[in-house]
Amino acid sequence: MKKLIANIRLFWRGMRVTFKTAPAALLTVLNQPINAISPFVNIYFSSLILEQLTGKAAFEQILPNILWAVGLNSILYFITNSLGASNQQAWRRVYVEEHQSVAKAMLVLDYETLEDTETQKKSADLLNHWHHKGSPLNGPLFDLSNLLGGVFTCVMAIIFIKPLLGIIFKKTGDGFLNSPWLGISVCAFIAAGVGFVLFMSNRMSKRWFKLHERYLELEGIFHYYANMLEDHKSGKEVRIYAQHDLIEHHATDKLMHEGVALQRKLGSAQSLSSATLAIIGAILGFGVYLLIGVKGLFGFIGVGAVVRCMGSFLQVVNGLMQIGSNVGRLDAFIPGLRYFFDVVDLMPKHTGGNQSINPDGEIDIEFRDVSFKYPGQEDYALRHVSFHLQGGKHLAIVGENGSGKTTFIKLLCRLYDPMEGEILLNGVNIREYDEDSYRRLFGVVFQDYQLFALPLGENIAAGKDVDEERILLCLDESGFGLRLEKMPDGLGTWLYRECDKDGVEVSGGEAQKLALARALYKDAPVIVLDEPTAALDPLAEAAVYAGFNRFAEGKAAIYISHRLSSCRFCETVAVFEAGELVQYGGHEDLIVNEDGKYYELWNAQAKYYV
Amino acid sequence: MPKKKDDRIAMRPNLRYMLGNWRKWDGKSFWVIAACIPAQIALPALTALIPKLMLDAINGAWAPGKLIALVAVLSSLIAFLSWIEPNLSEKLRVSAQLARMNYRILALRKIMRIDYETLESLEGREKLEKAKDFCFGGRWSGGEDFYDAVRQFLASGIGLLTFAGLLTQLNPLLLLIIIIGCVAEVGANIIGNRFMHKMRKDSNQAFMRIEYMYRSTKEAEKGKDVRLYNMRPWFLRIMQSAVDVHNKVLGKFVRQLIGGAVSLRTIATLAREAAAYFFLVRAVLAGDITPADFLFFFGIVTGFSAWLMTVTRQYGNIERCYRECQRFRDYMDLPDCTQGGSLPCLGQGHDGLKTIEFRNVSFTYKGSDEPVLHNVSFTINKGEKIAIVGENGAGKTTLIKLLCGFYPPTEGQILVNGVDIREYDRESYYKLFGAVFQDFTFLPVTVAQNVTITEKGAEDTARLEESLRKAGLLDKMRALPDGLESPMVKDVWERAVNFSGGERQRLLLARALYKDAPVLILDEPTAALDPIAENRLYQQYAEFSHDKTSFFISHRIASTRFCGRIFYMANAHIAEEGTHEELLALQGAYYKMFETQSYYYRKNTVGEDE
């Protein structure tokens, strides 16, 4: 019961969102009920006309009925078709709104929550639903409309059958055909039949969903391979390593065997339920036709009523089928709504304080005994790290893969909060600062920097408002200047082809230069570069270092690089090993300690260059 | 007109192709269709007939027993028909789905075997994008929908003729008016489709952008940059403007549709219905037909228009399907990489390779006029160790791609053992190479399978372990919860293991070593490695490659120390060639690059003057 109330609440909430986005979408619910009216118009008027015809009425007397029938039908036809057209656009609006709300929700999350496996799972669930079952907000409307249509049909039909109801429970003569028992038994049959259909279709559709779910799993694997292969980058390996057979086996064998078997099962499940419905329909049909026929034959109802009753009975069967096949689906849309709202309701775990920072003022950052481990991990990524970085100073961070360098940067940028210890900016815990104002301090190029399939200039400015002159300056500085001249629309050129068919692809080296230009453009007081030159050749690398030295003049700068030469132009070097800060000092001081990690790292590389 | 191009697509060969495939994959479906069509036509005919028969019985004052018999026959007929039709339809649905599955498998196979140059080219990617509609678009893809469309087309066509035959008994003018009404409806449909087409085209880009923004906000990898550069306002604006465009286009579409197509269709319906009532009533009054016949013919008129609508709609569907089919076949007809020569290249034995020669090789990408390689010539003997260095974009990776046979040279020849590589059978030629490329993908299979690229059980366990050991991964992999059987790729398997960048690179190395091919190619294998791991790789490189011919591409000049011959590439050709010492003595571009990179590693340089 509690569950039911929760579900209704969820449904209600979904409808409210739909109402705000595209109220017309809610009219979807009316679709089937309105559709259900028009057969009755024909039944009603054709029976009236039939009565008039048998009564030898003149054409002029019949004409009003014809006009009524045609007029009503045309109006209904216009309404359903217009409704259909406006529904279509309303659904698309709703679908788009769903994407937009999810994007909005994601954008306010802090990075830690965004990256959290639970968040990612929720978002994957929703995506899956979109792919296979469509929009979670629209979905219930269809089912509801079908169900209402069925109910509406039945109600209308019962109104039409009413004259029959008046006489079937009366004793009209001798024998079974004239006794009320005929009517009673037919009604009992109908009740039993309806009950059975509802019960069965509920079970059937549950079984169907279960099988379908399993089939989708198999399809998921196939889709992964299909997407992977579509990206031409995988093509070299597929050919060189002759991966065809392995891929084909894994992607398709299961689908062709288990998948096909499942489809056949699904098919026979469907067939079984339609067969059952048909048999029940036949039994009911026999009873009802007999009842109507007998009453008509014995003259208890007129020809018009006979036609109305028979036509209505056929509609009852349709209506019941419609109810039957939809009532089982009613709770199937609940998961979709839940996936949607679970994502939309995500809240940031940590938010900033309200202190703001003067970006032109003194910058002084201190790590005080900071420890951190990633959620779900057992080992610490950073342990008891303490250090001090002052404005205008340049720091190089070195260490082996996995020693905690990038984690350090993530904590510094407040993408994560430390588990123990604190990070202070100008003596104040960074949690106290307003997040946006704190992040304005950092111009960062991450190892896995990201550019977006949006205009080039906006990518550099990270926004719509671009200062073209400064962008050009930054692009020159990062070594992208020459390439820019070849861009068809200059700064307005769209990158990649996801959002614009005329977009331009850039190579890894070029992309890295763009990411550097973006950091330059930000002109932040602290510059952080995490492996900024991995994809660059030595000459381009030297040019970038030189450019940054100019740019970082008077600013705080942190370099992470596997090319230890970068340590030579930083005042201080921090050496990380297994999550700990093991050495800290100038290059000249560290290099003399032959037992130190720095000595080992430096010589592993430097020996090739002397 | 732009439509012209589409019109040239021939219908017949595509229909033959699709029907031929169906016969091959599920031939008995033709019988199912043959059985299904009569049922489909009989059901509405019977529905129209029942009231007439009942009225005839009542008017004829039949004996109750006879009535019971009639009712029994009719209801069992209805039951039979309403059972058989959905049952057979379900069988056909499964069969059509199977057909699409088969098409998808064909597409998958094709992508894996298509000529690599085509796969990578813009043209190839565009063709693939177009071909996908036929089988990757879900239930409405041409590869599935065609089979349903054909069935419905045939059924409604035959139904149309049957019903028209029945109607000819009446006034031919009625038939004419009905047909005119239906033609108007067809016209309305065409107009509606044109609006729809335009709406899709106009809203497509906005839709693409909305979906892209949604994807960009939910991916954790992108989240860091989004937050640090405070891209939220930018993203929101881009999304909002895309949504506005989208909704505007849709709003216009609905207004057009209701104003044009829907109104026209309503008028057509009105005319048709009015004519039907009018003529039928007249016919009864004139005594041509009985009042009971009025009911029957009225049902037939309604049925007739329904058939006509279905015929035209399904014809449109068939048209769409064969167009999609043509695009699919365009892709399937692209040349395969196996369409090289027929000469078998060396098998797995190492003795086979003697020389590799580039003879005046030039290469220009299609659609570009600047050559990426220009007149490159060299000869390499078995066992030589080659290092390739040079600036970004100098043509290093392209050279490797040409060597692997991914692109044919625009000019000149590549010879292996003195034979042009075009003469070799492509798949056997690929056996020459074990390569680690810069971009890579892992398959969603186990770690072991990713290294061996064979089914479980077919691998050489000793070689597998040896390769992992050489790559420095064996202990780490064994320590995983499922050892070497651990699944990879988180998107597919929830239990999958995530590896770090360095580990992934070593796994790729293990795969190349397991293949044990005569030529080993490593393209930037050290970019993600720390100095110590890099040093270890150099030390082990001699061991990996001792019996192989090898190519080592790197931005780190240290790598050249282990190679007997160095190619320094600049401006699309090999500018300098020789040993490290020779090239230094030359004091050319290589020397300059080495000096640049080693500058900071020297003891007494201070990095302030550059």
Side-chain angles (χ1 to χ4, degrees), chain B residues 51 86 131 181 245 254 282 307 355 363 372 398 408 505 526 530 568 587:
Chain B
V245 169
V254 172
R282 279 293 169 138
W307 290 131
T355 58
F363 181 75
V372 191
T398 309
Q505 220 152 20
T526 57
D530 63 70
Y568 178 85
Q587 301 255 327

Side-chain angles (χ1 to χ4, degrees), chain A residues 177-330:
Chain A
L177 294 180
N178 268 322
S179 75
W181 289 109
L182 177 63
I184 291 170
S185 45
V186 169
C187 289
F189 260 129
I190 293 177
V194 170
F196 186 73
V197 167
L198 291 182
F199 167 76
M200 205 193 60
S201 63
N202 203 352
R203 268 192 52 180
M204 282 288 179
S205 64
K206 285 223 167 90
R207 183 177 137 82
W208 191 89
F209 275 116
K210 231 175 159 175
L211 288 172
H212 193 59
E213 212 70 30
R214 270 177 53 202
Y215 177 74
L216 289 182
E217 260 172 49
L218 292 177
E219 277 236 337
I221 296 175
F222 180 88
H223 270 287
Y224 180 82
Y225 279 106
N227 284 336
M228 180 189 102
L229 290 171
E230 248 172 59
D231 184 353
H232 60 93
K233 283 178 191 140
S234 63
K236 296 196 288 291
E237 293 163 288
V238 168
R239 284 160 185 76
I240 285 283
Y241 289 100
Q243 295 176 338
H244 325 94
D245 296 335
L246 188 71
I247 289 179
E248 201 172 314
H249 175 70
H250 282 263
T252 66
D253 280 13
K254 258 201 163 154
L255 198 59
M256 283 311 275
H257 293 121
E258 275 176 52
V260 169
L262 273 174
Q263 277 302 330
R264 296 220 191 274
K265 248 191 217 167
L266 277 167
S268 56
Q270 203 76 354
S271 302
L272 184 67
S273 71
S274 62
T276 322
L277 276 176
I279 292 168
I280 292 171
I283 298 171
L284 296 184
F286 177 75
V288 175
Y289 280 140
L290 188 68
L291 192 63
I292 298 166
V294 165
K295 298 297 171 196
L297 192 64
F298 295 157
F300 296 112
I301 48 174
V303 277
V306 167
V307 169
R308 278 197 292 279
C309 290
M310 273 188 312
S312 308
F313 168 66
L314 275 178
Q315 293 304 318
V316 173
V317 173
N318 282 344
L320 285 181
M321 295 264 245
Q322 217 174 349
I323 296 175
S325 55
N326 283 288
V327 84
R329 286 199 199 147
L330 272 189

Side-chain angles (χ1 to χ4, degrees), chain A residues 314-381:
Chain A
L314 275 178
Q315 293 304 318
V316 173
V317 173
N318 282 344
L320 285 181
M321 295 264 245
Q322 217 174 349
I323 296 175
S325 55
N326 283 288
V327 84
R329 286 199 199 147
L330 272 189
D331 50 358
F333 60 67
I334 292 297
L337 286 170
R338 194 164 293 138
Y339 296 147
F340 176 67
F341 285 115
D342 273 356
V343 173
V344 171
D345 289 344
L346 282 167
M347 293 298 272
K349 272 191 206 123
H350 58 71
T351 45
N354 44 21
Q355 286 205 41
S356 62
I357 306 160
N358 172 16
D360 302 322
E362 191 71 5
I363 299 292
D364 178 295
I365 296 166
E366 188 185 353
F367 272 55
R368 205 176 274 171
D369 199 29
V370 168
S371 296
F372 179 76
K373 60 181 169 187
Y374 285 100
Q377 300 280 314
E378 282 183 20
D379 298 326
Y380 276 90

